[in-house]
Amino acid sequence: MDDTTRGIRIRRGGPADASAVLTMLDSAVAWMNDRGNTEQWGTTPFSAQPARVQQVDRYLTENLPFLAEVDGTPAAAMVLGSGPDPRAPIAPADEPERYVRLLVSDRRFAGRHLGSALLAHAVEETRRAGVRLLRVDCWAGGGGKLVAFYERQGFTSTETFRAGSWPGQVLAQRVG
């Protein structure tokens, strides 16, 4: 998918994009921490946590990663799986599904609606695969701002969960 009016191109990602995705995640952690949000992803950069680096590597090799580029620069990433991460306290759906396992943007590109563009791409990919259900989970803290973002993208809240003290929300969207 290309949106040449905004200089955005969405391409398939892979293991070679690990450094770019980690940079995006690190910038998101710093941005959240600067605003007082230390609960969502903690305070340590992803690139400094071996388990998080391994998670990104798994996501980029075992799933369907996509990168949004702005004028050729990786600016946002999304990872689609065939269900929730098996390590998450979320049950798979009772039907085939696509699951957004990661959505992150480099804060230098804030305001470009890259998350929205990648989620629209997820809908297209889900439809193309002949699957009718697209789900995502997110942090439900912070007054529910992230949940509201996904609802504005056409998702509906379905179930809540906790991962330790971390409050989460699962959202779903029917793809026709």
Side-chain angles (χ1 to χ4, degrees):
M1 175 185 147
D2 293 334
D3 183 344
T4 54
T5 62
R6 294 187 293 158
I8 298 170
R9 177 170 96 68
I10 295 177
R11 67 167 174 83
R12 182 75 188 270
D17 296 305
S19 177
V21 173
L22 286 167
T23 296
M24 291 174 207
L25 288 162
D26 288 352
S27 80
V29 168
W31 179 80
M32 286 186 260
N33 288 186
D34 286 348
R35 282 150 188 76
N37 177 351
T38 59
E39 298 172 50
Q40 185 174 347
W41 282 349
T43 58
T44 305
F46 271 55
S47 63
Q49 300 177 63
R52 291 291 204 173
V53 172
Q54 290 173 356
Q55 179 184 28
V56 168
D57 287 340
R58 272 194 321 273
Y59 277 6
L60 296 177
T61 57
E62 298 173 5
N63 298 277
L64 295 172
F66 296 93
L67 270 74
E69 295 180 334
V70 174
D71 299 325
T73 301
M78 175 185 66
V79 174
L80 282 178
S82 59
D85 188 317
R87 294 158 203 75
I90 301 163
D94 58 2
E95 65 182 279
E97 68 177 316
R98 289 295 179 267
Y99 204 98
V100 178
R101 291 192 178 182
L102 175 69
L103 181 66
V104 64
S105 63
D106 185 318
R107 297 308 305 164
R108 295 176 298 162
F109 297 93
R112 301 290 297 260
H113 306 284
L114 299 173
S116 298
L118 282 166
L119 289 172
H121 190 74
V123 169
E124 291 175 22
E125 288 292 323
T126 302
R127 185 178 295 120
R128 193 178 350 243
V131 176
R132 298 183 42 85
L133 179 62
L134 176 62
R135 293 196 308 159
V136 64
D137 65 79
C138 68
W139 184 60
K145 292 177 187 173
L146 190 52
V147 173
F149 164 76
Y150 283 109
E151 289 173 338
R152 287 191 305 273
Q153 307 309 309
F155 288 86
T156 302
S157 293
T158 59
E159 62 187 90
T160 61
F161 67 95
R162 288 194 89 73
S165 62
W166 195 89
Q169 177 69 54
V170 178
L171 300 100
Q173 183 175 151
R174 286 280 165 200
V175 175

